[in-house]
């Protein structure tokens, strides 16, 4: 791990600014930048036959987790240098690639464009709402951190159970749980930066991106179940 003063990402703040403000500003900039490779990955995924590439559903799950957790580990190891930023862009490209199947499925519906658009607007609304709450809150968020730890375990167990049982109602419940869980993660992460508990823009941007991604995909699943008549 390199010293904090070796982090040479383009300086966005002035020397007189609060360090936490600079970190948060850089995190927001990285978050915005991360959506470009994500969009590129989603576009590239439209040219891939995912059913042929991952004919075994378990293979697709294993591939996703190896990619996701492998890169998350590498990003955290390089969270104070520009290699971490590059790995973050690779990570978001890959997540965009894995996002493509659900987008293709949704857009195949006659109201698919409306569903995707609504999910995007709702996701943006959730993000800005939780960010505003985090900026105004004076709480340390310790209670929320404990709740998030328990919530993560419950959601992972639910996902594993539903992989075997494939119950639509359980799938929707898990999707709704991810929306709530990820919304709270956004508030907790931003508050952690403001309070000085997170000093890496790369780590903060990674957490925020994953949360937004989870909210967006979960909302698409919920809206498809409610609005799609296929």
């Amino acid at each position: 791990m390199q010293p904090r003063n070796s982090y040479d990402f383009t300086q966005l703040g002035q020397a007189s600014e609060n360090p936490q403000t600079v970190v948060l500003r850089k995190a927001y900039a990285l978050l915005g930048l991360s959506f470009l490779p994500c969009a590129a990955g989603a576009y590239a995924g439209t040219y891939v036959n995912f059913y042929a590439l991952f004919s075994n559903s378990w293979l697709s799950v294993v591939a996703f987790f190896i990619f996701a957790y492998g890169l998350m580990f590498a990003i955290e190891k390089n969270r104070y240098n520009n290699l971490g930023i590059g790995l973050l862009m690779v990570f978001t490209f890959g997540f965009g690639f894995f996002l493509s199947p659900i987008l293709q499925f949704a857009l195949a519906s006659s109201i698919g464009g409306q569903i995707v658009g609504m999910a995007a607007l709702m996701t943006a609304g959730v993000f800005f709402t939780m960010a505003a709450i985090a900026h105004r809150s004076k709480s340390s968020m310790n209670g929320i951190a404990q709740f998030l730890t328990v919530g993560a375990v419950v959601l992972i167990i639910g996902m594993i159970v539903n992989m075997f049982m494939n119950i639509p109602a359980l799938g929707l419940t898990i999707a709704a749980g991810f929306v709530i869980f990820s919304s709270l993660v956004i508030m907790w992460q931003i508050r952690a930066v403001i309070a000085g508990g997170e000093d890496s823009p790369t780590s903060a941007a990674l957490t925020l991106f994953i949360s937004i991604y989870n909210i967006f995909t979960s909302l698409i699943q919920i809206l498809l179940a409610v609005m799609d008549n296929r």
Side-chain angles (χ1 to χ4, degrees), residues 92-164:
T92 58
F93 177 89
F95 264 51
F97 186 81
F98 283 109
L99 177 65
S100 186
I102 190 172
L103 288 179
Q104 292 181 44
F105 180 79
L107 293 174
S109 169
S110 59
I111 58 172
Q114 180 182 351
I115 289 175
V116 173
M118 288 180 61
L121 287 175
M122 292 170 69
T123 301
V126 169
F127 175 79
F128 288 117
T129 299
M130 302 312 290
I133 294 174
H135 279 277
R136 295 179 180 179
S137 174
K138 302 299 181 182
S139 171
S140 65
M141 301 289 175
N142 290 333
I144 291 181
Q146 296 173 1
F147 172 81
L148 291 176
T149 301
V150 175
V153 174
V154 172
L155 288 172
I156 290 173
I157 292 174
M159 288 175 59
I160 295 174
V161 170
N162 203 42
M163 286 177 63
F164 288 99

Side-chain angles (χ1 to χ4, degrees), residues 45 47-57 59-60 97 101 104:
Y47 293 94
V48 176
N49 186 337
F50 281 87
Y51 295 103
L53 183 62
F54 298 119
S55 56
N56 187 317
S57 60
L59 178 62
S60 63
F97 186 81
Q104 292 181 44

Side-chain angles (χ1 to χ4, degrees), residues 15-116:
S16 60
E17 280 188 306
N18 185 303
Q20 286 74 36
T21 301
V22 175
V23 171
L24 188 59
R25 186 177 298 178
K26 290 179 180 180
Y28 284 151
L30 284 174
L31 178 63
L33 183 63
S34 69
F35 289 112
L36 296 179
C38 181
Y43 179 77
T46 61
Y47 293 94
V48 176
N49 186 337
F50 281 87
Y51 295 103
L53 183 62
F54 298 119
S55 56
N56 187 317
S57 60
W58 284 101
L59 178 62
S60 63
V61 172
V62 171
F64 176 81
F65 279 106
I66 290 176
F67 172 85
Y69 285 98
L71 269 180
M72 281 192 285
F73 175 81
I75 291 169
E76 288 300 321
K77 291 290 289 185
N78 295 278
R79 62 205 300 255
Y80 294 113
N81 58 55
N82 286 337
L83 177 58
I85 296 174
L87 291 172
L88 176 64
M89 298 302 112
V90 174
F91 178 89
T92 58
F93 177 89
F95 264 51
F97 186 81
F98 283 109
L99 177 65
S100 186
I102 190 172
L103 288 179
Q104 292 181 44
F105 180 79
L107 293 174
S109 169
S110 59
I111 58 172
Q114 180 182 351
I115 289 175
V116 173

